[in-house]
């Protein structure tokens, strides 16, 4: 069983037939993606073009690279599959064991060893690859077409390993023993070009390989790219030496990134941007920032996602999606099935999680390819990213200590939460008693109906109970609980056909509100009403506001969230929140005026 819901596809499904005929079996890595057949088709196109055919380098060379990278990443699933495939191509058990433990004694020729070391360097730390590495391969007799193919095979290895970690497929074969720590070959064997370079020493200016010109008229896939992107990115132009490989990549992009039936295109571009930034890939960051601008996102917001998506205006679920993406894409050794469970608590279905993982895998494929070929940028990367690059690797690789988030925010509920996560029902009941009034007030303020708020409260508490195991303490428990209540209320509001949309319209100035009865208030309203009466009046006034204004007033003035946080919660721009808040306050003041207004008494002369 994989981490995601299992479905069964017919054995006659095209990709399954192709793998059965080529490898003699259908890998469980494909079966684990059966929720979205189109992503299986995308992977099959890539593997068929890159791995399953003889090319500039032999199939056995490709399989050695795939196996070595899988072993280097401690990916037991891919190691077992790739060992079996390599064995079917004639490799002995001893040769396979050598590759799994140390490649310097694998009975390889000097060129084959040089190629393997280059591919390992590329998969381990792609930003360290430079023109010198390419020149070292040429010195070993490699033509540009062979180098291109070696880079693409390395990218495919990273793609498959990313999916393996994220999907957790059942093993196809028995495990192979992997050394806990790889041993690099001696410096005289590998040569200095294949060892990690300092950040200042490498020469990265590219492109590293020749690329013949192809026009959209002579190469049909480019016409599709021209239509979807508005131009032909250098990423694709730099690979025209092998149109067959390029066509397979473009088909994968078409099947993974362009459909919007599961995740939106904006969500996918945000995933690509965040993971590329964590991978220190300036080219891809600049590309995805530009594509997000074309989708309507401001340049500032895109730059913020690249530097730190936690400070962006994205909704809380979308920020959680990017946390998930960066962890799987960069800190894959920390990833586990618990991360899937946590993402479900934010309302993501298994189909969405699967597509997210495939997008992450495709991103790592592209990042590896771009850095291996030294592809020149189409646009300038965000200046703020370049300034902050030195801080990104440490932030991306620092694991969160267990329980550190809860203690860091000083959550008074931390002890009860831990007990509830351990299965103690009484602890959860005490948490409900503590926060039931807070949840109820939030629901009433949004829904404007006490009866519906009671129903919504049951739904919110049930959701919290089901998902408390996935609560990781990134905020206080009460904040998380109220967030669930808000989402419940928003779903109910959007389900009302007669209620206007909460979303931002084309023009927030339409139907502009003009207050008509604003009068001067008493200096001390308590002269007119008691505190309890004032509270009841304000609550009644807020509940009478139109939903789009009521929600903003409640979040900003009652719950005291910042304007930026309200914007993130509702998926609105900050100016739209400010506009709605002003109108909501004016409407509320107009409604309250008759109760607090000064009586004007004039004596007759």
């Amino acid at each position: 069983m994989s981490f995601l819901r299992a479905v069964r596809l017919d054995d006659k499904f095209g990709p399954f037939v192709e793998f059965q005929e080529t490898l003699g079996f259908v890998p469980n890595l494909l079966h684990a993606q059966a929720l979205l057949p189109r992503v299986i088709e995308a992977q099959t196109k890539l593997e068929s073009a890159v791995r399953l055919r003889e090319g500039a380098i032999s199939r056995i060379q490709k399989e050695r690279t795939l196996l070595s990278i899988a072993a280097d990443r401690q990916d037991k699933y891919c190691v077992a599959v790739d060992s079996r495939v390599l064995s079917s191509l004639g490799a002995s058990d001893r040769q396979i064991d050598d590759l799994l433990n140390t490649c310097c004694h694998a009975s390889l020729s000097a060129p084959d060893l040089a190629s393997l070391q280059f591919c390992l360097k590329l998969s381990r730390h792609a930003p360290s690859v430079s023109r010198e590495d390419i020149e070292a391969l040429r010195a070993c007799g490699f033509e540009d077409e062979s180098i291109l193919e070696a880079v693409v095979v390395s990218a495919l290895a990273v793609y498959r390993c990313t999916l393996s970690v994220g999907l957790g497929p059942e093993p196809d074969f028995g495990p192979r023993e992997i050394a806990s720590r790889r041993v690099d070959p001696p410096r005289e064997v590998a040569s200095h070009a294949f060892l990690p370079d300092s950040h200042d020493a490498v020469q990265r200016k590219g492109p590293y390989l020749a690329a013949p010109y192809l026009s959209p008229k002579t190469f049909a896939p480019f016409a599709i790219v021209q239509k979807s992107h508005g131009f032909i990115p250098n990423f694709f132009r730099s690979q025209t030496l092998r149109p067959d490989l390029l066509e397979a990549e473009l088909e994968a992009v078409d099947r993974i990134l362009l459909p919007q039936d599961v995740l939106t295109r904006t969500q996918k571009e945000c995933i690509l941007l965040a993971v590329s930034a964590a991978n220190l890939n300036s080219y891809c960051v600049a590309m995805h920032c530009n594509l997000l601008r074309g989708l309507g996102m401001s340049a500032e917001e895109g730059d913020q996602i690249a530097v730190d998506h936690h400070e962006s205006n994205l909704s809380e679920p979308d920020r959680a999606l990017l946390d998930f993406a960066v962890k799987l894409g960069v800190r894959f050794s920390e990833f586990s099935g618990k991360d899937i469970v946590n993402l479900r608590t934010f309302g993501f279905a298994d189909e969405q999680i699967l597509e997210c993982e495939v997008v992450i895998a495709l991103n790592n494929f592209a990042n590896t390819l771009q850095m291996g070929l030294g592809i020149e940028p189409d646009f300038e990367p965000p200046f703020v990213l370049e300034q902050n690059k030195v801080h990104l690797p440490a932030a991306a690789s620092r694991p969160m200590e267990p329980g550190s988030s809860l203690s860091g925010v000083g959550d008074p509920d931390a002890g009860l939460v831990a007990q509830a996560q351990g299965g103690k029902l009484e602890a959860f009941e005490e948490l409900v008693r503590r926060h039931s009034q807070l949840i109820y007030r939030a629901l009433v303020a949004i829904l404007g109906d006490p009866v519906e708020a009671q129903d919504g409260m049951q739904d919110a508490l049930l959701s919290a109970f089901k998902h408390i195991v996935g609560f990781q303490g990134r905020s206080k428990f009460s904040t998380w609980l109220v967030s669930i209540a808000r989402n419940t209320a928003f779903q109910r509001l959007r389900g009302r056909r007669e209620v206007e949309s909460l979303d931002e319209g084309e023009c927030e100035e339409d139907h502009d509100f003009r207050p008509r009865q604003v009068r001067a208030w008493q200096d001390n309203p308590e002269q007119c009403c008691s505190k309890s009466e004032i509270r009841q009046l304000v609550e009644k006034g807020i509940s009478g506001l139109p939903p789009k204004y009521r929600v903003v007033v409640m979040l900003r003035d009652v719950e005291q969230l910042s304007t930026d946080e309200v914007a993130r919660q509702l998926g609105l721009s900050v100016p739209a929140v400010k506009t709605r808040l002003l109108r909501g306050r004016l409407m509320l003041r107009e409604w309250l005026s008759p109760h607090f207004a000064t009586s004007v008494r004039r004596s007759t002369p």
Side-chain angles (χ1 to χ4, degrees):
M1 294 292 292
S2 72
F3 295 147
L4 302 180
R5 188 176 81 253
V7 298
R8 183 74 181 176
L9 295 179
D10 193 292
D11 290 339
K12 295 181 180 179
F13 179 48
F16 290 174
V17 172
E18 184 167 354
F19 270 89
Q20 186 67 48
E21 292 177 349
T22 309
L23 298 182
F25 66 98
V26 180
N28 286 331
L29 187 62
L30 294 185
H31 287 299
Q33 302 173 63
L35 285 171
L36 295 176
R38 59 179 167 81
V39 302
I40 298 177
E41 293 171 340
Q43 182 177 341
T44 303
K45 290 289 183 183
L46 282 176
E47 294 218 29
S48 177
V50 178
R51 174 191 189 186
L52 303 179
R53 300 176 189 166
E54 294 287 343
I57 56 179
S58 68
R59 276 204 63 198
I60 198 164
Q61 287 175 300
K62 295 175 184 178
E63 293 298 337
R64 286 192 201 115
T65 299
L66 293 171
L67 176 60
S68 295
I69 291 176
D72 199 57
R73 295 168 70 99
Q74 297 289 299
D75 191 311
K76 295 181 179 179
Y77 173 84
C78 287
V79 162
V81 170
D82 297 341
S83 295
R84 176 59 64 93
V85 174
L86 195 55
S87 177
S88 71
L89 295 175
S92 68
D93 284 344
R94 180 172 180 177
Q95 289 173 322
I96 293 172
D97 287 339
D98 281 344
L99 287 169
L100 293 177
N101 291 279
T102 170
C103 60
C104 65
H105 300 300
S107 303
L108 300 178
S109 66
D112 285 350
L113 182 57
S115 175
L116 192 57
Q117 279 301 109
F118 167 79
C119 293
L120 283 169
K121 179 178 179 179
L122 180 58
S123 70
R124 286 174 184 171
H125 189 56
S128 68
V129 170
S130 70
R131 182 179 292 278
E132 288 183 356
D133 296 305
I134 304 299
E135 293 303 330
L137 286 177
R138 288 188 175 119
C140 291
F142 287 94
E143 301 290 339
D144 280 10
E145 191 172 328
S146 300
I147 298 172
L148 171 60
E149 199 162 319
V151 171
V152 179
V153 170
S154 302
L156 178 64
V158 174
Y159 179 99
R160 294 170 67 247
C161 288
T162 302
L163 285 182
S164 168
V165 172
L167 294 171
E170 282 286 317
D172 298 276
F173 309 103
R176 298 289 299 234
E177 187 175 346
I178 314 172
S180 59
R181 186 176 181 180
R182 295 300 302 273
V183 180
D184 289 326
R187 184 177 294 263
E188 60 270 16
V189 174
S191 94
H192 70 281
F194 301 110
L195 297 176
D197 298 295
S198 71
H199 204 69
D200 297 327
V202 295
Q203 301 175 14
R204 292 186 180 79
K205 187 172 178 59
Y208 303 148
L209 305 180
Y213 177 79
L214 293 180
S215 74
K217 292 182 179 179
T218 58
F219 186 59
F222 272 2
I224 300 172
V225 175
Q226 182 82 48
K227 185 176 180 180
S228 62
H229 289 64
F231 68 104
I232 313 292
N234 287 335
F235 179 85
F236 298 124
R237 288 201 181 279
S238 295
Q239 300 180 65
T240 54
L241 193 62
R242 285 293 301 275
D244 56 327
L245 301 183
L246 181 54
E247 190 166 358
E249 290 173 30
L250 289 168
E251 281 203 45
V253 168
D254 182 65
R255 293 173 189 273
I256 295 171
L257 296 186
L258 299 188
Q260 300 202 65
D261 55 329
V262 181
L263 293 176
T264 67
R265 179 70 187 278
T266 298
Q267 285 175 312
K268 294 177 188 179
E269 289 297 334
C270 287
I271 292 167
L272 295 165
L273 173 56
V275 180
S276 293
N279 280 333
L280 304 182
N281 190 302
S282 298
Y283 175 92
C284 292
V285 166
M287 170 66 69
H288 299 304
C289 279
N290 183 71
L291 289 172
L292 280 169
R293 286 196 292 273
L295 293 170
M297 181 177 287
S298 69
E300 294 76 15
E301 179 72 354
D303 293 354
Q304 183 59 63
I305 292 170
V307 174
D308 184 0
H309 63 269
H310 298 102
E311 299 300 322
S312 70
N313 289 325
L314 296 175
S315 66
E316 186 176 5
D318 281 346
R319 292 200 301 275
L321 187 70
L322 297 191
D323 284 338
F324 177 92
V326 170
K327 188 172 187 179
L328 176 59
V330 181
R331 307 195 319 270
F332 54 87
S333 62
E334 302 171 24
F335 188 89
S336 72
K338 291 181 180 178
D339 295 294
I340 303 282
V341 174
N342 180 58
L343 200 54
R344 288 183 181 128
T345 67
F346 289 92
F348 289 101
D350 279 16
E351 289 84 354
Q352 293 173 304
I353 297 172
L354 170 59
E355 186 164 55
C356 175
E357 293 186 343
V358 176
V359 169
I360 296 164
L362 185 64
N363 176 85
N364 283 353
F365 177 93
N367 283 186
T368 304
L369 196 54
Q370 186 275 326
M371 291 184 176
L373 299 178
I375 300 170
E376 292 182 313
D378 303 274
F379 312 98
E380 286 296 321
F383 178 68
V384 67
L385 174 75
E386 297 303 298
Q387 284 185 312
N388 287 274
K389 254 189 175 185
V390 67
H391 304 296
L392 291 177
S397 61
R398 188 187 304 118
M400 182 181 292
E401 294 297 328
S404 62
S405 294
L406 279 173
S407 59
V409 296
D411 192 343
D413 296 323
L416 286 172
V417 170
Q419 294 177 42
Q421 289 177 323
K424 191 173 181 180
L425 184 59
E426 295 83 357
F428 185 78
E429 291 174 346
E430 176 58 28
L431 289 168
V432 170
R433 279 192 289 272
R434 286 187 183 186
H435 302 297
S436 58
Q437 286 300 313
L438 178 64
I439 297 170
Y440 178 72
R441 286 199 304 271
L443 287 164
V444 168
I446 295 175
L447 296 170
D449 182 346
V451 175
E452 191 171 7
Q454 287 283 1
D455 293 339
M457 188 171 177
Q458 297 301 316
D459 293 342
L461 291 176
L462 178 60
S463 178
F465 180 73
K466 290 166 63 177
H467 297 130
I468 193 170
V469 174
F471 175 65
Q472 296 185 346
R474 292 192 177 97
S475 64
K476 288 187 177 182
F477 176 75
S478 58
T479 303
W480 179 72
L481 204 54
V482 171
S483 177
I484 291 176
R486 287 190 202 115
N487 290 336
T488 301
F490 295 158
Q491 289 172 3
R492 285 176 171 265
L493 272 183
R494 290 189 170 104
R496 296 179 187 171
R497 293 183 179 179
E498 71 276 10
V499 173
E500 61 183 308
S501 172
L502 294 176
D503 298 330
E504 191 169 353
E506 291 183 5
C507 182
E508 285 291 334
E509 284 68 34
D510 290 348
H511 311 295
D512 200 6
F513 169 76
R514 295 288 183 269
R516 299 178 298 279
Q517 301 179 24
V518 176
R519 312 175 195 170
W521 287 10
Q522 293 275 7
D523 290 339
N524 184 3
E526 289 186 41
Q527 292 176 2
C528 300
C529 307
S530 68
K531 289 183 178 180
S532 62
E533 288 174 327
I534 291 174
R535 185 177 66 250
Q536 291 171 5
L537 282 170
V538 171
E539 287 177 353
K540 187 175 181 180
I542 291 176
S543 67
L545 294 174
K548 61 194 272 186
Y549 303 117
R550 182 173 67 235
V551 172
V552 173
V553 171
M554 187 278 297
L555 295 178
R556 184 69 182 87
D557 291 342
V558 178
E559 294 197 30
Q560 297 291 299
L561 298 184
S562 68
T563 303
D564 287 345
E565 181 61 25
V566 174
R568 284 195 289 269
Q569 289 280 350
L570 299 179
L572 299 171
S573 64
V574 170
V577 169
K578 291 179 177 179
T579 299
R580 293 186 186 187
L581 181 62
L582 174 61
R583 292 181 191 151
R585 286 171 174 172
L586 289 173
M587 291 177 183
L588 181 60
R589 183 181 176 91
E590 179 178 314
W591 189 87
L592 293 172
S593 287
H595 301 281
F596 298 154
T598 304
S599 298
V600 180
R601 298 175 182 174
R602 293 189 178 182
S603 57
T604 305

